[in-house]
Amino acid sequence: MPETKAVANIGVVGLAVMGSNLARNLASREGNTVAVYNRTYARTSTLIEEHPEAGFVASETIQDFVASLEKPRAALIMVQAGAGTDAVIDELAALFEPGDIIIDGGNSLFTDTIRREKALRDKGLNFVGTGISGGEEGALNGPSIMPGGSVEAYEKLGPIFASIAAIAEGEPCVTHVGTDGAGHFVKMIHNGIEYADMQLIAEAYDLIRHGTGATPAEIADIFTEWNKGELESYLIEITAEVLRQVDASTGKPLVDVILDQAGSKGTGVWTVQNSLDLGIPVSGIAEAVFARALSSKPAQRAAASDLPGPSTPWTVSHKPQFIEDVRRALYASKMIAYSQGFDAIVAGAEKYNWDIKKGNIAKIWRGGCIIRAQFLNRITDAYEENPGLVALLTAPYFKAAIEGAQDSWRTVVAHAAQSGIPTPAFSSSLAYYDGIRAARLPAALIQGQRDFFGAHTYQRVDKPGTFHTLWSADRTEIETEGSSH
Ligand code: NBP
């Protein structure tokens, strides 16, 4: 048998939709020769037959695939997250040599990435958990890429990633996010923000449809108009297209034919779970995840469908003003979702010891990924002006933008409540905003309750120390000063 020659500077393992599109993207860039391998060879042969122009170096066995890679070897794994990824890592690790690089471009949980990175580092191998966003189209034409792993590995991979990434305002949408699991952590938060963004847009559509009686096609025009202003983004753009679509078989708007039960693949849940662990209120993202869960309970929804709604029907007196109010409410709520997402990034970086540059993260989300938006420039500016910003909302641009939107936001949330239209993300975002800006919160009462039933102690506004009240049997308070801890 002829010996396999090491001719490829990068390899891709896993040739389903994401892997094959990334492999094609890589092959289309000058200087790259791409080795490809898939567990089931049929996928490999289809890819090389359909894309001879790519000049792929195809292998039927993992041994030949590894032999076809130049040293230090670099292989990008694009297989199902979880057990599939572990299986491929084990196969590669058995054949790779110290200094070689294994890249996991799947949607892996960042704690798995931390574990895998450590295990491979102990063997002298580089492991680069990399968030890749943009779906199949982004994979082919330019995704947003969020690599973690070592600085040493990024030296080799950086130029390769930059060659295939989306370009936003002249810059490739890739940055070395941080070590070990940082890339997958940031990708997870990206997906959480995506959930919030989508839910907010859906609520805006629902409010306009119920409030004004506009048809989906008319609302599509509204979104197209919105896409020319501060809300300009991929999600607003595709929402207009979805709303404009007519179902071929019924002639109805497609959105009216699609079952109203939203699915999910789990990254939104991860964002919420991990943010809860970090103590960060990502309420906009959480409500978006819960709203999908609620939508997917048909039996419960059917049983609850005859529960009473508001007794007085709600009408919108001035439709153009209402639509503008919804637009502003959407923008304000979106700012909250991003602010919360960046809070989670800051907390994650602190806990896991990552040096994450927030402004760079906003930059690499400007192109290629699902949440790409004009507005991300404002986030980059805010963090560049003040890297230690305690909350995005407090940056001058955001403060002014919320000031301009808040009356509309309150009107919309109040109308939604009065009319019985569910707006969990709009409402919770406003509640968060009022919570964070409140001079005094009823948390004081909660501390009193906790001390009452569990002697959990509290602190006072007027002197340092820790205090516990001897709540008497007849509930009159006897305050005693406790010791300072
Ligand atoms: P899938 O997630 O559908 O995975 C299919 C691939 O995994 C096939 O190549 C399959 O090989 C391989 N595979 C499995 Br399943 N188990 C394996 C094992 N034990 N050993 C070796 N290979 C195994 O593919 P995808 O939709 O292209 O996504 C790839 C990754 O990218 C996933 O982690 C996904 O979450 C992530 N991602 C997807 C998107 C998207 O828009 N789809 C976006 C961003 C990230 P086979 O052909 O032999 O069955």
Side-chain angles (χ1 to χ4, degrees), residues 14-19 38-40 43 78-81 83-84 87-88 91 105-107 132 135-136 187 265:
L15 302 174
V17 58
M18 289 296 288
N38 192 73
R39 177 181 62 178
T40 311
R43 275 197 209 271
M78 289 307 297
V79 305
Q80 209 171 59
V88 176
E91 284 181 281
N107 270 338
I132 299 181
E136 50 188 285
K187 170 66 177 7
K265 281 192 171 174

Side-chain angles (χ1 to χ4, degrees), residues 164-193:
I164 61 164
I167 304 288
E169 300 186 23
E171 294 178 82
C173 294
V174 59
T175 189
H176 183 221
V177 174
T179 52
D180 56 58
H184 276 138
F185 181 87
V186 164
K187 170 66 177 7
M188 175 188 78
I189 301 294
H190 163 285
N191 285 24
I193 292 174

Side-chain angles (χ1 to χ4, degrees), residues 96-158:
F96 269 23
E97 293 168 314
D100 289 348
I101 307 169
I102 298 176
I103 309 148
D104 171 19
N107 270 338
S108 294
L109 182 59
F110 74 96
T111 45
D112 284 343
T113 305
I114 293 174
R115 166 181 60 80
R116 290 164 179 156
E117 198 276 341
K118 185 176 180 320
L120 292 172
R121 187 163 16 103
D122 290 347
K123 294 181 178 171
L125 299 176
N126 289 295
F127 182 69
V128 181
T130 300
I132 299 181
S133 176
E136 50 188 285
E137 195 265 330
L140 184 60
N141 297 316
S144 173
I145 307 179
M146 294 154 253
S150 69
V151 173
E152 177 203 355
Y154 193 72
E155 273 167 23
K156 167 159 174 144
L157 297 178

Side-chain angles (χ1 to χ4, degrees), residues 258-273:
I258 297 175
L259 195 66
D260 60 344
Q261 295 172 23
S264 62
K265 281 192 171 174
T267 44
V269 172
W270 288 350
T271 306
V272 178
Q273 285 172 336

Side-chain angles (χ1 to χ4, degrees), residues 39-103:
R39 177 181 62 178
T40 311
Y41 186 68
R43 275 197 209 271
T44 314
S45 57
T46 305
L47 178 68
I48 57 176
E49 273 161 34
E50 288 178 358
H51 297 284
E53 78 288 350
F56 289 127
V57 180
S59 297
E60 285 194 50
T61 67
I62 192 103
Q63 288 79 6
D64 282 351
F65 168 77
V66 170
S68 72
L69 295 169
E70 290 170 350
K71 295 179 188 176
R73 303 178 182 93
L76 168 63
I77 302 174
M78 289 307 297
V79 305
Q80 209 171 59
T85 302
D86 273 322
V88 176
I89 290 172
D90 288 347
E91 284 181 281
L92 287 176
L95 299 166
F96 269 23
E97 293 168 314
D100 289 348
I101 307 169
I102 298 176
I103 309 148

